[in-house]
Amino acid sequence: MPTFKTRRCRAIALAATWSIGLTALASPALAAKDVALVSGAFRRSIPVEDIEHLANTGEARGLLEQLLVLSKQDPENVAKLLNQKLDLPLVLTSRLINTRIGEAIIRRVGQILYPIYTPQPEVSIPALRAGVINGLHNSGDGLTAVDFLKAYPNEVLAVNLPALFSVIDKAQSISGLVQFFSDSPLDGLKEAKP
């Protein structure tokens, strides 16, 4: 038979659980409102509304329009990228991002995308996980960039531009290396023995 102290602890725990649950239901979920492009001391923010407007209409506005003009990007092509859905099953994705491999991938992405004032992995990794899982849950049929932003649990998502460009450069060099080997006659290399 539980003692008075045990019953009291259980009652407090139950009350705390209920209050947290009710608070979560009563308050609207956080979502990114801005995407901050960060490079050293440089920082410019683009409202998520402008990104969503571009995805929906193919027309850029505000700072986003200026950035696309400067980078000579076609807004319609960028809109297609923003609307590209990743068909990820919710349960499998949730399991995958909680494995060691998933942790390593999210840790790498967390060096590029993170909450603006708290880039530490203890904060950025759970925020990325939440953005992916909540985005998949909310959309129901895949994940787009806008779905992710609308589910990201921080008002400002920072994008570390030097880290992003470094990854892009590495990806381009890897694709070049793959292209080189796929275009070369590998059969001659396989037959040669040292």
Side-chain angles (χ1 to χ4, degrees):
M1 177 169 228
T3 65
F4 175 74
K5 188 175 181 181
T6 305
R7 285 184 295 196
R8 183 172 175 227
C9 288
R10 286 182 185 168
I12 291 171
L14 182 61
T17 304
W18 275 95
S19 65
I20 290 170
L22 291 175
T23 303
L25 290 174
S27 62
L30 288 175
K33 292 182 181 173
D34 291 314
V35 174
L37 306 175
V38 180
S39 179
F42 170 82
R43 178 177 135 190
R44 292 290 179 258
S45 293
I46 301 170
V48 171
E49 289 175 350
D50 289 352
I51 295 171
E52 188 174 16
H53 177 77
L54 173 61
N56 292 336
T57 65
E59 298 174 359
R61 63 183 183 193
L63 178 61
L64 184 56
E65 179 181 19
Q66 295 170 7
L67 289 173
L68 292 177
V69 168
L70 285 172
S71 62
K72 299 178 183 173
Q73 297 293 319
D74 180 22
E76 290 185 12
N77 289 339
V78 175
K80 286 179 187 175
L81 285 173
L82 291 172
N83 288 316
Q84 187 172 3
K85 280 196 183 280
L86 296 174
D87 293 324
L88 302 170
L90 178 62
V91 174
L92 182 63
T93 303
S94 177
R95 288 180 183 166
L96 176 65
I97 63 176
N98 286 298
T99 64
R100 282 191 223 168
I101 293 170
E103 176 86 17
I105 292 169
I106 292 208
R107 198 170 280 279
R108 293 268 175 132
V109 173
Q111 294 172 355
I112 301 169
L113 306 173
Y114 50 85
I116 188 70
Y117 298 114
T118 50
Q120 297 83 7
E122 300 82 33
V123 177
S124 65
I125 290 173
L128 288 169
R129 279 189 184 129
V132 170
I133 297 304
N134 291 337
L136 284 170
H137 179 266
N138 295 342
S139 71
D141 64 343
L143 184 70
T144 66
V146 174
D147 294 335
F148 172 77
L149 290 172
K150 290 169 104 178
Y152 189 75
N154 195 289
E155 287 191 10
V156 182
L157 171 68
V159 179
N160 183 330
L161 293 177
L164 176 63
F165 293 143
S166 173
V167 169
I168 291 170
D169 287 343
K170 287 179 184 175
Q172 288 175 347
S173 64
I174 289 171
S175 68
L177 185 62
V178 169
Q179 184 68 35
F180 170 76
F181 281 112
S182 65
D183 290 344
S184 66
L186 292 177
D187 295 331
L189 293 175
K190 291 178 185 175
E191 293 174 10
K193 296 181 181 177

